[in-house]
Amino acid sequence: MKVLKFGGSSVANSENIKKVLAIVAKASEKNKVAVIVSAFGKTTDKLLSGANAALEDIIVAKEILEFIKELHYHIIDDVIFENKKEVSEEVTYLFDRLESIYSGIYLLQELSDKTLAKVSSFGERLSSYIIANAAKEVFDANHADSRDLIITNDDYLNAQVNFTVTSKNISAFFDKNKHQVIVLGGFISSNSKEETTTLGRGGSDYSAAIYAADLNADELQIWTDVSGMYTANPRVVKQAYPISEISYEEAMELSHFGAKVLYPPTIQPALRKEIPIRIKNTFDPENPGTLISNNPKKGTDVKGISHIENISLITLEGGGMIGIPGFSKRLFETLSQHKINVVFITQASSEHSICVGVYDTDAQKAKIFLDETFSIEIDRKKIKPIIVENDLAIIAVVGESMKNHQGLSGQMFSALGRNNVNVRAIAQGSSEKNISAVINKNDAEKALNTLHQQFFEEKTKELNLFVTGVGNVGERFLAQIHQQKKFLKENLKLSVRVIGISNSRKMAFNNEGIDLENWKEALENGESVTLDSFHKKVKESNLINSVFIDNTANQQVSEVYEKYLRASISVVTCNKIACASSFENYKTLKQVSRKYNASFLFETNVGAGLPIIDTLKNLINSGDRVHKIQAVLSGSLNFVFNNFDENSTFHDVVAQAQKEGYTEPDPKIDLSGVDVARKILILARESGYQLELSDIENNPFLPVESINTTNNKDFYASLIKHEDHFQNTFKEANDKDCRLKYVAEFIDGKANVGLQHIAPDHPFYNLKGSDNIVLFFTDRYPENPLLIKGAGAGADVTASGIFADVIRIANN
């Protein structure tokens, strides 16, 4: 004997019902089958909506009823052929009775639990009758009313089963019945007075388990719209996958904490008889689904991650509780008396506080009753008034073998901490089958994805990027990400998604990842942007391993880094302004980065794609000390002076450098020495020295008029006007057989930048194109410095440096 239960989604329409009939036909070829069905689609919700509407307006109630009728008659037309008239007449009779009940509700202005149970029963009474008659036309089948078999107490909406009477009824009925298939409605039952009762929402699963237990079924199959129990909710965690086998206890834990494919009490009758339960997909019947049994095959230590939303935390605390017995008893007694379900419990070992989790809908009621229960202690200041925290969720990591694996709780909370998920309370049973944590409801999706990645996706790490600035550098960065996406996934096990992009006018977001072949179109069709609106959207996305990337040279953008870091969102930037701002701000960004476990990387601030800052950090972290730095740090200035001579004009060379992307959008930043001063300042600070930008001695080579211009047009005009000055500067160096290089120096705590004459025997003399070079003189390299040399400007190398910082974050 097999028991097959089909949920509302499996019988939502005639097409689905035909799939159900095909499944039942195949299952009944070798076994007798009991088929338990839910109401069609969302029929029960609509029935109750109609009942509530009837209290106010019978016209509205009848409109809802007409909608329900239309669905049922449409299904009859599609699946019943031989007995259509007979079935339609019975269904019409049931709807007439239902309409009479609605009219009674309207006239009496009363809607009792007894009436609600009767109204909600019509969904399963109709669906089971229609499906049974459709089945009769295909194979040997019959219909039975569960209200005649499952007997309960008088709790109409959440009835408790009288298993002694129910077991006798089911056994007697199935012993006499010779049909191969019996179709019954789930959820519905009756009391000893033959009044309709219901088993509570989700009760169709429970009905199926009762039948399976009493019939000693070989297997209970729960048919739904997913292929089993998943490692996490697949609608929230895209990488979730079905669990092949799981124990009863593990399934109970997962279902209790929100795994919606199974109603928690369902397992109890099957568990008592050790009947295997299989979760199957009506729309993929060949998929094996999930087998729930007493002895599942060993799999991973963590079997699944689940969560419940809309939770409130109720806290009873105060010094007057310590050493005084009875507080816990009174707390739980009060909640029980008022039918408030507790879904989470934790208590401090000091007995100073007890926390319980309840559903949001019960929170205020719980506070009122508990404040009343403990009113004397509250008045005497022995304990505080009941504290209620709303908008929370419970996340649970479940696995029967977790107790045999050390460090799982550490992995869980470390992963949550890295992604700025604050834990409000923790509970772990001594059996260690479940580790539960209360978190903010808004963090639930991020927490699920974080923990799923931690326990089930160890080979692939997801990185979510938010990119501001899509000019020369930004455009090339996006192109590199797009080009390398497959390589990253296959070789570094890294999934990189660009979730948000912005320029100075618009922003575009897609939580599934922006199509990098069409990002310009997405941005053009995006919404208006401000720094605050972009930051708000990034925070609302609330994705794991989030990284904010600044490809601009904008001061206002640099001023929002701290906001991102405080939200545990890493920052990668080629914008030098933040790290060259006040030392206090620089230090704050570093401290916030460490405190909130968010990387703050700015390798491209000095030397574009060259590993200058990273090398310097490694020296300092390994105990070395820097005494002197000599460097050519401006790729744009090196390009300019490598291409400028008596046969060219300074204006034309600078214009060429800007055109080829070697300068900042405002070339005066490079030529004034400010950019180089910022770079040597950053290197000095990374070496452990406390300097301000004003401490850097800047020896400019530009005429004062050029420095004082306020726009590019005037700046370029001044270069033409002072061409003689630049020619004289070149001639002076050339006459000494020297080359012009713009050099930054840091020696024992002091720094300067300026144009120098470089002799042929100096390492800087043959520096070509836009290359940079840095010489580090340290304790370990006192005479022969550590030298780093290579391309130090250009959009492509800068983009590759940003890309490298992103990879560094992924590897942390």
Side-chain angles (χ1 to χ4, degrees), residues 76 188 219 298 322 436 524 576 645 799:
I76 290 170
I188 56 176
E219 186 173 87
K298 182 167 174 58
I322 300 173
S436 303
E524 189 59 34
K576 291 172 278 293
D645 57 28

Side-chain angles (χ1 to χ4, degrees), residues 463-477:
L463 220 57
N464 295 296
L465 310 185
F466 300 88
V467 181
T468 191
V470 287
N472 284 341
V473 173
E475 182 172 357
R476 284 163 174 77
F477 171 71

Side-chain angles (χ1 to χ4, degrees), residues 26 57 126 160 181 215 242-243 257 279 296 404 431 471 515 525 548 557 703 710 803:
K26 186 174 181 180
D57 190 338
L126 287 160
Q160 302 299 305
V181 176
L215 295 171
I243 306 165
F257 282 97
I279 312 296
N404 302 319
S431 67
D515 178 4
N525 294 322
F548 172 68
V557 176
T710 57
F803 200 157

Side-chain angles (χ1 to χ4, degrees), residues 192-236:
S192 58
K193 293 173 280 189
E194 298 185 356
E195 296 169 328
T196 297
T197 59
T198 61
L199 300 178
R201 301 310 298 266
S204 289
D205 284 354
Y206 193 22
S207 301
I210 292 168
Y211 283 114
D214 288 336
L215 295 171
N216 291 309
D218 300 320
E219 186 173 87
L220 166 60
Q221 295 180 0
I222 306 290
W223 290 80
T224 181
D225 55 1
V226 291
S227 297
M229 298 189 83
Y230 277 64
T231 48
N233 186 338
R235 293 179 179 87
V236 178

Side-chain angles (χ1 to χ4, degrees), residues 313-334:
L313 204 59
I314 307 290
T315 303
L316 175 68
E317 69 176 21
M321 294 169 59
I322 300 173
I324 306 298
F327 276 94
S328 298
K329 175 178 178 292
R330 292 164 64 195
L331 170 71
F332 293 111
E333 220 170 44
T334 300

Side-chain angles (χ1 to χ4, degrees), residues 40 72-73 75-77 79-95 125-137:
F40 295 154
H72 285 73
Y73 287 129
I75 289 173
I76 290 170
D77 285 340
V79 301
I80 305 291
F81 303 101
E82 297 173 8
N83 299 314
K84 188 170 292 188
K85 184 175 183 296
E86 178 187 333
V87 172
S88 296
E89 287 175 351
E90 177 64 19
V91 167
T92 300
Y93 168 72
L94 290 173
F95 276 123
R125 290 163 66 184
L126 287 160
S127 65
S128 61
Y129 177 74
I130 293 170
I131 291 171
N133 278 276
K136 288 178 185 178
E137 299 184 7

